[in-house]
């Protein structure tokens, strides 16, 4: 089974927790044992598994990527001005594949699924979620 | 279904767009809804999803990785002289798993699939492409 | 089929080769053609495909990540003192999906599967391994 999640983003760079939306799709999949692929359909966005105890790690992720991949110094900036967003997306990657164990995602206590916006705000961002049974 | 793509690379560092070759395999898979795994078989290579409007982003990717992971300063250089290539491959990662939606890859307009060469040129690089149905 | 691998880690940062343990599970899966997903259940750990000729590349990985993501300078350090571990885990990512070809993992000669510990030592780290047939 496959469904999409649609979200709006409100900042140029931001992490958005989509764990519950993904788990809801997994619940409907009737996959007991298998995998779920979570994929951001956008070349300036990504998926990251990260802690969500509070907002500190999300802030740290944005600051780290800003430091490693500064804006305004790339070839691609001559065209769109968003070279840094493409590079961040490429390094973090658009997808994660997570085990499904007894019908639930096999995330540890502190693992949450985040949509990473690197070129926002955007009215519509789409994430494809695909469940596959291992049987 | 599973097939391999074979390419030659012409530079020490370079990104090669393999989107059409992967889509051709997906077309032959008869998977309507599912996932496709694209995997570079080489410890100094990787797969990255990235824009392909022109060559600017590919150039930026190479320059970013050269800055973050300089050559010639690693333990492994004493053996092969390609420590940076292994590190780039490890950080970017050898594979991406992409949703298949209505028989086509669920890439957005600006998402293309690139084979990343970090230790070329090489006469033969092999990418394994595996389709899995979600049903 | 799905099984878990459990390991202890002995250093704060370290790479542990789990290739043989994963292959053993793949052997039991009876998947001839497909994929295997290897997923670290922990928000301060990751999976990286990397060379294992000797320990040089592992050492280089740890030193690279320490340089790019120093410890002690993050918002999250006010809570747990392990902000760098979360960031390393997020950038490397918790999982890799590897093709299964003729019943064996489609790794190249120099590709091994490493569990990356970024907040050790830990008595128990768990990796979920899920085989999926492409048929």
């Amino acid at each position: 089974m496959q469904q999409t999640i649609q979200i709006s983003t409100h900042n140029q760079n931001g992490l958005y927790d989509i764990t519950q939306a993904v788990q809801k799709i997994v619940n409907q999949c009737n996959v007991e044992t298998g995998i779920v692929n979570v994929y951001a359909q956008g070349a300036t966005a990504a998926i990251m598994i990260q802690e969500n105890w509070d907002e500190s790690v999300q802030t740290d992720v944005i600051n780290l990527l800003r430091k490693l991949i500064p804006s305004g110094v790339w070839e691609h900036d001559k065209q769109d001005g968003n070279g840094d967003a493409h590079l961040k997306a490429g390094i973090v990657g658009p997808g994660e594949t997570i085990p499904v164990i007894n019908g639930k995602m096999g995330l540890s206590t502190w693992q949450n699924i985040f949509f990473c916006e690197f070129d926002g705000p955007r009215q519509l961002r789409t994430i494809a979620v695909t469940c596959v049974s291992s049987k």
Side-chain angles (χ1 to χ4, degrees), chain A:
Chain A
M1 200 184 86
Q2 191 174 62
Q3 285 191 26
T4 55
I5 296 167
Q6 299 190 323
I7 64 170
S8 303
T9 62
H10 309 291
N11 299 309
Q12 192 181 28
N13 286 262
L15 272 66
Y16 298 82
D17 192 334
I18 58 169
T19 312
Q20 290 192 344
V22 177
Q23 182 59 53
K24 195 174 160 191
I25 295 172
V26 172
N27 290 345
Q28 295 169 358
C29 275
N30 288 322
V31 169
E32 270 297 292
T33 304
I35 54 177
V36 57
N37 176 257
V38 182
Y39 186 89
Q41 292 180 304
T44 53
I47 299 294
M48 183 184 285
I49 308 291
Q50 197 48 275
E51 180 171 319
N52 194 14
W53 166 261
D54 64 9
E55 297 203 354
S56 62
V57 183
Q58 291 104 290
T59 302
D60 288 337
V61 167
I62 292 168
N63 287 336
L64 168 66
L65 291 172
R66 188 175 288 142
K67 191 185 128 204
L68 295 180
I69 308 172
S71 66
V73 298
W74 307 104
E75 279 284 315
H76 190 67
D77 290 331
K78 291 169 195 162
Q79 324 207 8
D80 282 345
N82 65 354
D84 63 311
H86 282 286
L87 293 168
K88 292 170 183 175
I91 294 291
V92 176
E96 295 290 344
T97 302
I98 300 154
V100 177
I101 304 174
N102 298 324
K104 303 252 173 234
M105 283 191 289
L107 300 168
S108 68
T109 310
W110 303 114
Q111 284 182 323
N112 286 267
I113 306 167
F114 286 92
F115 175 86
C116 305
E117 173 65 79
F118 298 128
D119 194 28
R122 297 281 184 112
Q123 277 203 305
L124 179 63
R125 286 293 205 178
T126 303
I127 302 116
V129 179
T130 309
C131 301
V132 179
S133 176
S134 76
K135 310 262 169 110

